[in-house]
Amino acid sequence: MAAETIFPSSTTSQFWSGVRLAIPATLAAGPFAILYGAIAAKQGLSFFEIVLMSVTIFGGASQMVGVELFGQRLPGWIVVLSIFAVNFRHVLYSAAVGRRITHWPAWQQAVGFFFLVDPVYAESERKIEAREEIGFAWYMGMGTLVYLTWVLLSAVGAGFGALIPDTHAIGLDFLLPIYFLGLVMGFRKRPLWLPVVIASGVVAVIAYRYVGSPWHVSIGAAAGVALAAALAKPHPPADPEPDEAGAAP
């Protein structure tokens, strides 16, 4: 009923289609949200601060980096730059998806960029590849479920995280990398997929060794982008329109 109030009845099915696609993402990210809440609570953040960070930032990896660095009493600018390094991939996400949603009103584009997290980007890319239009209702169906689940389970982690003696020992922190690997494998049929993935991974490992975390994330991504740009074949020029072809020079 709520979806029908927000969206016209003709697009309600698109909204619920987006919700269904978001279910695997919420199952994968759920334990990570609980882990974030638990670690943030152990770092001394209040319940309100933990939930507020999820509500306003809505960035799992960046929130984890933030709370870890808060506990080290580092200068604020280092924390900000570190979070930027982790979230640099969202600049690439917005560049890829933004040109496909220019027909949306400005306020919808602003909301859409806020909800442009990894699973939403991955499914949007699949629509782009299939030459399907990215509708706002479908997009919000995905984004809303992922967002609400993240905020709710962050609160669960903040409230009950003390019951988990060692979050790393039981492997909760390993679930999200597995999910990211699944996202990467979903694009394996694309041209240049394997060399780009190898280049990104190798450079990220080297950067982790000699530069450190979290900068290796952005450095690895930049290496993959650079290789893809270097190997990409230019598109052939479009054929002239009939009237232009027959026009005198």
Side-chain angles (χ1 to χ4, degrees):
M1 189 70 178
E4 295 178 358
T5 303
I6 299 174
F7 303 109
S9 58
S10 60
T11 59
T12 302
S13 61
Q14 297 179 25
F15 178 88
W16 291 114
S17 175
V19 170
R20 288 191 294 271
L21 280 174
I23 292 175
T26 59
L27 294 177
F32 192 68
I34 297 174
L35 177 65
Y36 152 72
I39 292 177
K42 290 179 180 180
Q43 292 288 358
L45 273 69
S46 69
F47 181 86
F48 174 78
E49 290 170 336
I50 294 170
V51 175
L52 180 64
M53 184 180 289
S54 288
V55 169
T56 56
I57 296 179
F58 185 38
S62 60
Q63 289 178 229
M64 289 291 292
V65 169
V67 297
E68 291 283 359
L69 295 180
F70 290 156
Q72 300 178 26
R73 308 298 181 186
L74 297 173
W77 66 270
I78 293 181
V79 176
V80 171
L81 283 180
S82 299
I83 291 175
F84 175 80
V86 171
N87 271 6
F88 179 75
R89 67 189 187 281
H90 290 275
V91 176
L92 306 177
Y93 292 173
S94 60
V97 176
R99 57 197 177 104
R100 303 291 183 175
I101 60 173
T102 54
H103 59 287
W104 292 5
W107 72 269
Q108 290 185 356
Q109 293 184 41
V111 172
F113 285 131
F114 176 77
F115 284 101
L116 188 55
V117 291
D118 300 290
V120 178
Y121 165 72
E123 294 300 333
S124 298
E125 272 293 303
R126 292 191 179 99
K127 272 191 169 289
I128 293 172
E129 189 173 10
R131 299 184 182 278
E132 298 177 3
E133 181 179 346
I134 300 176
F136 183 69
W138 171 86
Y139 189 100
M140 289 304 298
M142 280 207 70
T144 300
L145 181 61
V146 175
Y147 178 74
L148 293 178
T149 303
W150 177 261
V151 173
L152 176 62
L153 293 183
S154 295
V156 171
F160 299 98
L163 300 178
I164 305 176
D166 188 348
T167 54
H168 299 286
I170 60 178
L172 283 179
D173 56 326
F174 198 64
L175 292 176
L176 202 66
I178 294 175
Y179 172 70
F180 277 121
L181 180 61
L183 290 181
V184 172
M185 294 299 296
F187 295 101
R188 64 188 179 278
K189 294 183 179 180
R190 290 198 170 189
L192 304 177
W193 176 84
L194 185 59
V196 168
V197 169
I198 292 175
S200 297
V202 170
V203 172
V205 170
I206 295 173
Y208 182 81
R209 173 66 176 82
Y210 293 102
V211 181
S213 177
W215 301 98
H216 67 293
V217 176
S218 295
I219 294 173
V225 171
L227 181 63
L231 298 179
K233 297 179 180 179
H235 292 287
D239 295 331
E241 296 294 333
D243 58 337
E244 293 178 355

